[in-house]
Amino acid sequence: MEYNKVCLMYRNQDCTVDGIRSALGLAVENMYAYGCVMDEPKMEKFNELQAESLEMLRDMEGDVFATTTANCELNDLEPITIEELGEKLRDMTHIIPYGIIKA
Amino acid sequence: MKILNIYRSEPDDTTKKLVEIVTRDRDADSFDLNVDAPDYSALVDKIFDADQTICWW
């Protein structure tokens, strides 16, 4: 059986936590779901529920990456470069640039 | 595999880099929604013609 692989990419802070929840929802629906916090958003520290969402996503073989060291260290996200993300996207069945970019 | 890239705004360097990697060695088409009067009929044709559609920011 072929499983869908989905990657959501977040480029503004307002949609990051919401987007991670969306990835978790897709994982619950039996998809491989990943998220990536892109260059700009400076995240806030996850609260207990948000950290739990990330943990659940990882339990279901998904993950959340970030392209900046600050976001990785703050919320225990996996580091990834834009080039590595691009290569990962080649393997996805669905690619979702999530939300809108705020000027 | 044919990939359709739809741009909702002018693609910046990050988007261009990702598109370049994702479409490497693959057929690719694009559609710009960031114009005065997008040809939605053509867009529908392009979507049906593509194996994968990515609607960038």
Side-chain angles (χ1 to χ4, degrees):
Chain A
M1 183 176 174
E2 290 270 323
Y3 291 96
N4 286 319
K5 293 181 178 180
V6 185
C7 184
L8 301 99
M9 293 170 283
Y10 320 117
R11 294 191 78 178
N12 79 64
Q13 190 177 341
D14 291 349
C15 72
T16 301
V17 170
D18 183 55
I20 291 171
R21 262 202 310 269
S22 294
L24 177 60
L26 294 171
V28 170
E29 287 298 316
N30 229 12
M31 301 181 196
Y32 289 101
Y34 306 92
C36 182
V37 183
M38 308 288 285
D39 38 24
E40 264 316 299
K42 175 73 176 71
M43 301 178 79
E44 291 177 3
K45 177 79 177 159
F46 282 158
N47 63 31
E48 195 178 330
L49 287 174
Q50 291 160 350
E52 211 170 85
S53 292
L54 176 61
E55 197 178 324
M56 281 192 283
L57 181 60
R58 285 177 172 157
D59 285 345
M60 289 183 279
E61 299 183 48
D63 210 343
V64 178
F65 305 92
T67 58
T68 64
T69 309
N71 284 334
C72 289
E73 289 174 352
L74 184 67
N75 283 318
D76 187 30
L77 305 180
E78 286 295 316
I80 194 169
T81 65
I82 293 295
E83 287 76 16
E84 289 168 339
L85 174 63
E87 295 296 336
K88 196 169 184 61
L89 292 182
R90 288 175 64 85
D91 193 37
M92 296 290 138
T93 56
H94 297 79
I95 298 169
I96 305 173
Y98 193 89
I100 56 172
I101 300 174
K102 289 192 174 172
Chain B
M1 171 185 270
K2 186 170 185 179
I3 298 175
L4 172 63
N5 294 291
I6 299 173
Y7 300 107
R8 290 163 60 190
S9 60
E10 185 68 28
D12 60 10
D13 290 346
T14 300
T15 300
K16 286 177 185 170
K17 183 76 184 170
L18 290 173
V19 169
E20 181 190 319
I21 298 171
V22 170
T23 58
R24 189 183 63 227
D25 305 325
R26 293 170 169 172
D27 285 341
D29 197 358
S30 65
F31 189 90
D32 194 353
L33 278 175
N34 190 29
V35 294
D36 281 344
D39 184 349
Y40 291 109
S41 177
L43 174 59
V44 171
D45 290 340
K46 282 174 182 273
I47 290 171
F48 277 103
D49 194 38
D51 300 301
Q52 185 180 38
T53 298
I54 308 170
C55 190
W56 298 96
W57 300 277

